[in-house]
Amino acid sequence: MPSPLPYVHGYQPHEQDRLADQARTLVDLLHGDTHFPAGSRVLEVGCGVGAQTVTLARRSPLARFTSFDVSHESLAEARRRIGQARLGNVELLWADLADLPFAPATFDHVFVCFVLEHLAHPVQVLQTLARLLKPGGRITVIEGDHGTVCFHPEGAAARAAIACQVELQRRAGGNALIGRTLHPLLVEAGFDAVSVSPRQVYADASRPGWVDGFTRKTFNAMIEGVRSRALAAGLATAEGFDAGLHELQRTAEGDGVFCYTFFKGVARMPGTRP
Amino acid sequence: MPSPLPYVHGYQPHEQDRLADQARTLVDLLHGDTHFPAGSRVLEVGCGVGAQTVTLARRSPLARFTSFDVSHESLAEARRRIGQARLGNVELLWADLADLPFAPATFDHVFVCFVLEHLAHPVQVLQTLARLLKPGGRITVIEGDHGTVCFHPEGAAARAAIACQVELQRRAGGNALIGRTLHPLLVEAGFDAVSVSPRQVYADASRPGWVDGFTRKTFNAMIEGVRSRALAAGLATAEGFDAGLHELQRTAEGDGVFCYTFFKGVARMPGTRP
């Protein structure tokens, strides 16, 4: 299994704000149907700053969570949040996907959110995670897909700026268009009972919380966050990229509309529980 | 208000099959939350072959429907279907959007599905329809948006074939990307309480009914249906277009995935009921 690749979104403080905003806005859409039974052991892969961790652990207070990340900075922030939320059912630890310190068949559930998009070999990682599941255990995977972006007014410069983000992520070994492939990925990794459901964000003037929380503070902020790297990589001129940002901001104004789809997959490790 | 423009989808028998398949597959997704109260008068604009009419009239048996279309051939088929379904609450009639034979403030509800996409001036048409509504009456508008198409495996030839359909519709005065604009269109036309919700089709191997009913028989069949016009217009070569069709068919195979989003808007005619 390959080592995790350079993280295209970075670890700067404003990036952490973006992830926190994203988590708050999307909590119900993405996690509203995720509950873990009392006593079950849940592995959260790549917990980052703990944005999802707090939500998951609050919603399933009698499950026991083991959450890890490869970034010490993110883990420190996650530790602060878990403490602030007074959650006693979360164990945080540093670990590398390439060398996980868990015995086979340890967990009842594995939870993977916004991680596969950064990996060059997602099927191999899913197979590694499968071995950590007890027979009959379940995996939940959530990913976005930048190819689902749809907005009004349409704009070629906005499309080009988004393409910069997709290309940077591709050069870092990831795939910003991975969401649509969750079903074939989980099948190829050997899971059964694979079920994928799209979770679509739709933001227009009648939904100001989504316009602000998602269009502006999540998606547009993410694209703005790769500006310097896109320019350094020669993928865009400053004028071209800024025109794209302007068009994206325009979709959050009065008559603007913005759509984006996340995909959530749930699947089962073959075998029956002992 | 302009006259309706040439109908890009045509009126051939196989086209009617496609519309009927589409209607059956999408009925719950698009119409599951549409009900009209007993005694209410509903105007269905551009009923075509009556695919939606049967669904609507069955679901609201005590509402009275007036459904019209500009095509005599489509109306004949609609008449056959209404009769076969033994529906007594539907009046079918020929009418032209440019010269509607209804008095102002006649209807409690106006229903418009897959019609605005073919019109050069959708806001003007919505304003015309608004005048037929009683004060406080409601309008329901449903449209697709080819810009929301997302599939796996991705393919440039498939994208090019879809672009042919979008361009042909544009040249006929329509807009195959209209779905995302329903909120601003309804606001601009003077409606209030505008509420739009996306209705996303998602088809993978675990949903064979959607793969067959939507990916193959609705979307791919629609693109296949514009092949001769795309070639005649010089928008594609036969080899290029057929490669696109092949890529689209590929998305309906084992590991393929296909997504498409419809948009449903509901809005109110300002004013209070007498």
Side-chain angles (χ1 to χ4, degrees):
Chain A
M1 201 185 70
S3 278
L5 290 140
Y7 187 64
V8 71
H9 299 323
Y11 294 110
Q12 292 75 31
H14 71 269
E15 170 62 16
Q16 297 190 358
D17 288 346
R18 185 183 72 79
L19 292 175
D21 283 334
Q22 177 170 327
R24 276 194 295 270
T25 310
L26 293 173
V27 161
D28 285 333
L29 185 69
L30 300 184
H31 309 303
D33 55 349
T34 292
H35 299 280
F36 303 108
S40 59
R41 289 206 58 184
V42 181
L43 178 67
E44 185 193 7
V45 177
C47 63
V49 299
Q52 266 76 239
T53 316
V54 171
T55 296
L56 296 175
R58 271 206 186 120
R59 289 182 174 237
S60 299
L62 300 178
R64 291 181 296 149
F65 292 85
T66 302
S67 302
F68 74 89
D69 203 273
V70 73
S71 159
H72 290 286
E73 296 95 317
S74 293
L75 272 180
E77 172 64 11
R79 185 156 284 114
R80 192 190 65 76
R81 287 178 188 219
I82 303 296
Q84 194 176 43
R86 301 176 178 276
L87 292 166
N89 58 335
V90 179
E91 179 194 16
L92 282 174
L93 55 87
W94 181 93
D96 188 324
L97 262 174
D99 183 26
L100 292 177
F102 310 111
T106 297
F107 297 97
D108 301 288
H109 210 109
V110 170
F111 182 89
V112 195
C113 184
F114 307 147
V115 171
L116 298 188
E117 60 167 321
H118 301 295
L119 305 178
H121 302 284
V123 170
Q124 289 177 40
V125 172
L126 288 172
Q127 288 169 334
T128 298
L129 297 172
R131 286 191 285 274
L132 302 181
L133 277 172
K134 299 174 187 172
R138 306 259 171 184
I139 188 167
T140 296
V141 185
I142 301 175
E143 294 290 345
D145 188 321
H146 291 3
T148 66
V149 168
C150 174
F151 47 82
H152 173 75
E154 185 59 81
R159 294 282 171 188
I162 295 168
C164 288
Q165 149 83 29
V166 173
E167 176 60 16
L168 286 169
Q169 195 153 340
R170 191 190 69 76
R171 292 186 184 184
N175 178 9
L177 313 175
I178 200 171
R180 75 189 75 172
T181 70
L182 285 192
H183 190 276
L185 288 178
L186 286 162
V187 168
E188 190 183 346
F191 289 95
D192 64 14
V194 179
S195 175
V196 172
S197 58
R199 310 288 166 116
Q200 190 172 35
V201 173
Y202 170 79
D204 67 27
S206 71
R207 307 183 183 203
W210 283 104
V211 172
D212 192 57
F214 189 82
T215 310
R216 286 200 188 97
K217 292 184 177 161
T218 300
F219 192 85
N220 292 356
M222 178 186 63
I223 299 300
E224 199 167 354
V226 301
R227 182 182 185 278
S228 58
R229 271 166 289 166
L231 300 189
L235 295 176
T237 62
E239 295 70 27
F241 199 90
D242 292 341
L245 291 178
H246 182 76
E247 287 181 0
L248 286 174
Q249 287 152 5
R250 176 69 185 77
T251 71
E253 289 171 19
D255 64 350
V257 177
F258 195 89
C259 308
Y260 187 94
T261 302
F262 295 90
F263 295 84
K264 181 172 186 172
V266 180
R268 189 177 61 181
M269 174 69 178
T272 41
R273 290 170 177 277
Chain B
M1 202 185 74
S3 278
L5 289 140
Y7 187 63
V8 71
H9 299 322
Y11 294 111
Q12 293 74 32
H14 71 271
E15 169 63 15
Q16 297 190 0
D17 288 346
R18 185 183 73 77
L19 292 176
D21 284 333
Q22 176 170 328
R24 277 194 295 272
T25 309
L26 293 174
V27 162
D28 285 334
L29 185 69
L30 299 184
H31 308 304
D33 54 350
T34 291
H35 299 280
F36 303 107
S40 59
R41 289 206 58 184
V42 181
L43 177 67
E44 185 192 7
V45 177
C47 63
V49 298
Q52 266 75 241
T53 316
V54 171
T55 297
L56 296 175
R58 272 206 186 118
R59 289 182 174 235
S60 299
L62 300 180
R64 291 181 296 149
F65 292 84
T66 302
S67 301
F68 74 89
D69 203 273
V70 74
S71 159
H72 289 287
E73 296 94 317
S74 294
L75 273 179
E77 171 64 11
R79 184 156 285 116
R80 192 189 65 76
R81 289 179 188 216
I82 303 296
Q84 193 175 44
R86 300 177 180 277
L87 291 166
N89 58 335
V90 179
E91 179 194 17
L92 282 173
L93 56 88
W94 180 93
D96 188 324
L97 262 174
D99 183 27
L100 292 177
F102 310 111
T106 296
F107 297 98
D108 301 288
H109 210 110
V110 170
F111 182 88
V112 193
C113 185
F114 307 147
V115 171
L116 297 188
E117 60 165 320
H118 300 294
L119 305 178
H121 301 283
V123 170
Q124 288 177 40
V125 172
L126 289 172
Q127 287 168 334
T128 297
L129 296 173
R131 286 191 285 274
L132 303 181
L133 277 173
K134 299 174 186 171
R138 307 257 172 185
I139 189 168
T140 296
V141 185
I142 301 176
E143 294 291 344
D145 189 321
H146 292 2
T148 67
V149 169
C150 174
F151 47 82
H152 173 76
E154 184 60 80
R159 294 282 172 189
I162 296 168
C164 288
Q165 149 83 30
V166 173
E167 176 60 16
L168 284 170
Q169 195 154 342
R170 191 190 69 76
R171 292 185 184 183
N175 178 9
L177 313 175
I178 200 171
R180 75 190 75 173
T181 69
L182 286 192
H183 191 276
L185 287 179
L186 286 162
V187 169
E188 190 182 345
F191 289 94
D192 65 13
V194 179
S195 175
V196 172
S197 58
R199 310 287 165 115
Q200 190 173 36
V201 172
Y202 170 80
D204 66 28
S206 70
R207 307 184 185 204
W210 283 105
V211 172
D212 193 57
F214 190 82
T215 309
R216 285 199 189 98
K217 291 184 177 161
T218 300
F219 192 85
N220 292 356
M222 177 186 63
I223 299 300
E224 199 168 356
V226 301
R227 182 180 185 278
S228 58
R229 271 167 288 166
L231 300 189
L235 295 176
T237 63
E239 295 72 26
F241 199 89
D242 292 341
L245 291 178
H246 182 76
E247 288 181 359
L248 285 174
Q249 286 153 5
R250 176 69 185 78
T251 70
E253 289 171 18
D255 64 350
V257 177
F258 195 89
C259 309
Y260 187 92
T261 302
F262 295 90
F263 295 83
K264 181 172 185 172
V266 180
R268 189 177 60 182
M269 175 68 179
T272 41
R273 290 168 176 278

